[in-house]
Amino acid sequence: MQSAFNRWGTGLAPFVDSGVLGPYAERIGFVASARLSLDACALSHTTGKTVLEFVGQAQRQHPDAGSPELFPFWNRTRQTLCPL
């Protein structure tokens, strides 16, 4: 987590506050949304990792979240916060 924050942390607050992550992000709050975003960045920059691994990892912290809630974190994060 610290490594991901060091790499992408400068853009994290404006990204999470932009509202692009959807209603689930609003429900869980800034800190949890920021962590999910950093997790998405770290996984997406790991060879062979896909949204399936992200959903599995995210559900350990957020068992109430399914793919529809988590996909915006994967998709928008990779497009904006930490593009490949």
Side-chain angles (χ1 to χ4, degrees), residues 18-36:
S18 71
V20 300
L21 296 173
Y24 185 72
E26 291 176 24
R27 239 180 17 247
I28 63 173
F30 179 85
V31 173
S33 294
R35 181 175 178 149
L36 284 173

Side-chain angles (χ1 to χ4, degrees), residues 2-18:
Q2 183 65 49
S3 175
F5 182 79
N6 291 347
R7 188 168 177 188
W8 298 293
T10 57
L12 190 58
F15 173 73
V16 173
D17 287 338
S18 71

Side-chain angles (χ1 to χ4, degrees), residues 38-47 49-50 53-54 57 74:
L38 289 176
D39 287 345
C41 282
L43 274 176
S44 71
H45 283 79
T46 304
T47 303
K49 299 296 182 179
T50 68
E53 284 87 10
F54 172 69
Q57 179 177 319
W74 178 260

